[in-house]
Amino acid sequence: MRTSVKSYNLGLTDRYVQEESIRGGLYASYSLMDDKLILRAKAGLDTTDYGLYNSGDRIGAQILTIQVNGDDRARLNNEFDSSVYFGFDVIYRLNL
C-alpha cells in the first residue's frame, strides 16, 4: 500500500491542485534463468484524486489523506473515481 498528498501551484492562475493518492494491491512474481529474469504481475485499487482549489483556501492539519481540523475549502472540480489497475514487469538482473 502507498499513500501520498502533494500540492501543485498552477503558476498562471490563483489556483492550486492537491493530489491525494491511496494505492493498494497485490503482486506475484516468478524467477527464471537462475533468478536473473523476474516476471511480476500486479493488480490493485488506485484512488488517486486531484482537487482544484483557490489559492486563498486553507486546510488545517492533515495526516496522510485524513483531515484532522476539518476542511473548509470550496472544491472547484468533481472528485475522480477510483479504479482497478493491472501491471506487468519484466526485470533482468546483471551480475556486476
Side-chain angles (χ1 to χ4, degrees), residues 20 22 44-49 79-85:
E20 293 186 4
I22 299 176
L45 183 67
D46 189 348
T47 64
T48 301
D49 185 38
E79 189 171 333
F80 286 37
D81 291 334
S82 300
S83 64
V84 175
Y85 71 89

Side-chain angles (χ1 to χ4, degrees), residues 67-78:
Q67 285 83 24
V68 177
N69 290 349
D71 187 356
D72 296 332
R73 298 176 296 175
R75 186 172 178 142
L76 303 175
N77 66 336
N78 294 327

Side-chain angles (χ1 to χ4, degrees), residues 16-20 49-53 75-77 80:
Y16 70 95
V17 172
Q18 179 174 324
E19 173 191 348
E20 293 186 4
D49 185 38
Y50 298 90
L52 179 64
Y53 302 98
R75 186 172 178 142
L76 303 175
N77 66 336
F80 286 37

Side-chain angles (χ1 to χ4, degrees), residues 58-69:
R58 299 285 180 232
I59 188 171
Q62 183 169 347
I63 300 173
L64 298 177
T65 60
I66 301 167
Q67 285 83 24
V68 177
N69 290 349

